Amino acid sequence: MTRLPGARRHRTFFLTAVRHTLIEHLRNKFAMMLIAAFVPLWTALAFWSVPGTRTRFRLRATGGLLVPHGNELTEITGALNAVTLILGFMMFSASFTSGHFDRRLALADYPRVHLVLAKLTALTLASAVVAAYATLLTCTFWSPRQPLLLAAALFGAGVTYGALGVAFGSLLHREVEGMFAISMTSVIDLALQNPLYSSSSDGSIVALLPSYGAMQAATAAGFSTTALPSYLAVQTGWFTAAALIGLFAFHHRTRTTLSNSRRFTTVPPPRSETAQLPDRREESAQQKPANRR
């Protein structure tokens, strides 16, 4: 069997891991149903259930006063909440259910770098699709001033919570724990940043929340013409931190598996000791004549 060249070999490992990861996501029928039904339902309820009364607040990113309709502002929060929940659940479910398979691949010397890159690639593709879908739904209810910036903000929040889902799937031991952690993190994160429900939405503590950069950029995209690339960079920093946590957890889980397999591998005795062991068949053959006598 001929050995593949180095570059081709790595490409084969990577593409194989990406293909299996994407197939695993597509087989998650519950996640597909959430994307198809939950995103439009949640954004529609957020838009229709809140009165269109104008709300005055100061956007921390620009320092200017905004007076948007309350239902439009809540719809942005609902879209961010839907995107973060779905991608967090998808990546947590994939990481949690494939944990045993990942350990088996690591034991078979499958490169762990390619497994991590495949998860990141699948997360990027899923976040892009869900963010574009949520942006299109938002534009059907009302017209944001910067749709591309809104899509970028939704994408940044999605990849951040997807990376958190990978970290939770690698660290937590029960599925209900991960679901509760993702849902509560998203709800608390976005509720504290909504000016309709929180009086401290422009406070300093809000800047420490995981989707702070995405919320500021999405709000500016909806109601102003100011581009905020710096706040997208803030969201990128949160994604990097979450991805590093997930990478460390994945590395620790597979490294523990490899160390345990090496520790409990049985070592055959030396040939010299094996040769000194008596052969039971010869002893039984020598005892039979003695018993007949």
Side-chain angles (χ1 to χ4, degrees):
M1 180 177 178
T2 59
R3 187 180 180 87
L4 295 175
R8 185 181 175 186
R9 180 169 175 266
H10 289 297
R11 185 172 63 251
T12 302
F13 279 134
F14 172 70
L15 294 178
T16 302
V18 170
R19 185 174 66 252
H20 283 280
T21 304
L22 291 177
I23 291 174
E24 184 178 4
H25 283 305
L26 293 175
R27 287 180 176 176
N28 190 345
K29 296 181 180 179
F30 182 69
M32 297 299 105
M33 183 187 68
L34 286 179
I35 294 175
F38 179 72
V39 176
L41 179 63
W42 186 234
T43 52
L45 288 176
F47 184 78
W48 289 331
S49 63
V50 178
T53 307
R54 290 188 176 272
T55 303
R56 181 183 296 271
F57 72 99
R58 184 179 299 276
L59 184 62
R60 185 182 177 90
T62 60
L65 286 174
L66 298 178
V67 192
H69 294 283
N71 56 351
E72 295 175 353
L73 182 61
T74 306
E75 196 275 335
I76 287 181
T77 306
L80 282 168
N81 186 229
V83 170
T84 54
L85 284 177
I86 287 177
L87 288 168
F89 287 158
M90 282 182 62
M91 298 308 298
F92 169 78
S93 177
S95 179
F96 186 82
T97 56
S98 65
H100 181 67
F101 186 63
D102 289 339
R103 288 191 290 268
R104 292 178 61 187
L105 288 176
L107 287 173
D109 291 333
Y110 200 97
R112 291 180 291 173
V113 175
H114 298 81
L115 296 176
V116 173
L117 292 177
K119 294 180 185 297
L120 291 177
T121 303
L123 171 59
T124 303
L125 294 176
S127 300
V129 171
V130 177
Y133 181 47
T135 303
L136 180 62
L137 289 172
T138 300
C139 293
T140 60
F141 293 108
W142 58 286
S143 298
R145 295 192 178 184
Q146 301 181 76
L148 293 180
L149 180 60
L150 177 61
L154 292 173
F155 174 80
V159 293
T160 300
Y161 271 81
L164 288 176
V166 174
F168 289 149
S170 300
L171 293 174
L172 301 179
H173 301 287
R174 296 182 180 180
E175 193 169 3
V176 66
E177 297 174 357
M179 297 296 183
F180 180 80
I182 293 171
S183 60
M184 292 306 297
T185 302
S186 177
V187 169
I188 295 174
D189 179 13
L190 294 169
L192 291 177
Q193 299 185 65
N194 192 336
L196 292 177
Y197 308 127
S198 176
S199 59
S200 61
S201 59
D202 59 345
S204 58
I205 190 66
V206 177
L208 303 177
L209 297 176
S211 66
Y212 171 70
M215 184 65 179
Q216 294 291 311
T219 306
F223 311 110
S224 72
T225 57
T226 304
L228 297 175
S230 60
Y231 282 84
L232 293 179
V234 171
Q235 194 61 45
T236 304
W238 264 104
F239 163 70
T240 304
L244 288 176
I245 295 174
L247 177 62
F248 174 78
F250 178 82
H251 175 74
H252 176 73
R253 181 174 63 183
T254 53
R255 186 188 64 180
T256 304
T257 303
L258 291 174
S259 61
N260 289 339
S261 65
R262 295 188 182 112
R263 185 184 308 169
F264 295 105
T265 301
T266 57
V267 180
R271 296 184 62 182
S272 59
E273 297 180 4
T274 307
Q276 295 176 1
L277 294 177
D279 192 349
R280 294 183 178 179
R281 288 179 297 181
E282 294 182 358
E283 291 182 356
S284 59
Q286 294 177 359
Q287 289 177 357
K288 285 182 181 180
N291 293 335
R292 291 177 181 176
R293 294 174 185 176

